[in-house]
Amino acid sequence: MSELAALLGDSNSRTRFDAVESILRCSTRDHGEYLAQALFALDDEHDAVRMGAVQFVRFARDWQLRLARQHAALLKPQTAFSVISDISEQWRDDVSAMIRKMLDHSEPVVRRYGLGLAGRARLVVVDAFVEWARASADPEISKLAASCIEHNQISHHAVWHSSLPATA
């Protein structure tokens, strides 16, 4: 796993993208630090790598995402990653509020994480969550959310789309 994590620092953006995906697919509960390093790609200089990290958030198992958040906050305290951890903990019982809080946050990394949460598998993918991301004032978040809708990029674990409104 350390070899995969080392690739996150590669000069080639495709290699970094592939490393994020590989860490997602190959990690175990003992790999919290490596999961955090994959999450750090939300702050990558290249937009495709950032999108790969958004997909990491979207498709990670609950335990992977929890470990990634916890370790990221420990490894980079007082950063967007500690904010993500704090918001996730504070709003864990209200997913709608958590997603809204993240999508409306001033920090781009937090908004990207919120986008990943918006398209995350539940029994259904709540279209309204992704629409919130599309309405974001951040052009990158808005464009990526529009692409998600246009290309029907929902999780394979979702049973169906829901056009039911999310509570605000």
Side-chain angles (χ1 to χ4, degrees):
M1 187 61 66
S2 62
E3 296 85 5
L4 287 175
L7 295 174
L8 293 167
D10 196 271
S11 62
N12 184 306
S13 61
R14 181 63 196 191
T15 300
R16 293 193 309 275
F17 178 93
D18 289 343
V20 170
E21 183 176 358
S22 296
I23 289 171
L24 175 65
R25 293 178 186 271
C26 299
S27 60
T28 69
R29 295 178 193 274
D30 295 327
H31 296 135
E33 183 177 333
Y34 303 123
L35 290 163
Q37 290 176 28
L39 193 61
F40 294 154
L42 287 169
D43 198 24
D44 194 272
E45 65 191 37
H46 196 275
D47 59 344
V49 178
R50 291 192 303 267
M51 186 57 195
V54 167
Q55 294 212 27
F56 172 90
V57 173
R58 186 176 295 144
F59 297 116
R61 291 186 173 105
D62 290 341
W63 64 265
Q64 288 174 308
L65 203 52
R66 185 183 68 256
L67 283 174
R69 273 194 321 264
Q70 291 170 347
H71 284 267
L74 290 172
L75 292 170
K76 292 192 176 186
Q78 306 298 314
T79 66
F81 298 101
S82 57
V83 170
I84 289 167
S85 183
D86 291 346
I87 292 172
S88 296
E89 187 60 30
Q90 181 181 8
W91 295 98
R92 72 174 172 249
D93 295 329
D94 187 348
V95 175
S96 295
M98 180 191 312
I99 291 170
R100 282 294 240 194
K101 186 105 173 139
M102 289 188 185
L103 289 173
D104 292 340
H105 200 275
S106 62
E107 174 59 51
V109 169
V110 177
R111 292 193 301 269
R112 291 178 197 128
Y113 188 90
L115 172 61
L117 288 182
R120 202 161 153 70
R122 294 164 185 80
L123 288 180
V124 296
V125 173
V126 180
D127 294 340
F129 291 169
V130 182
E131 286 294 337
W132 291 346
R134 186 164 71 169
S136 173
D138 181 325
E140 178 185 24
I141 297 300
S142 180
K143 177 182 171 191
L144 291 173
S147 176
C148 179
I149 293 166
E150 179 181 326
H151 299 293
N152 198 27
Q153 296 174 333
I154 66 166
S155 170
H156 303 307
H157 304 291
V159 177
W160 66 81
H161 271 276
S162 167
S163 56
L164 298 173
T167 57

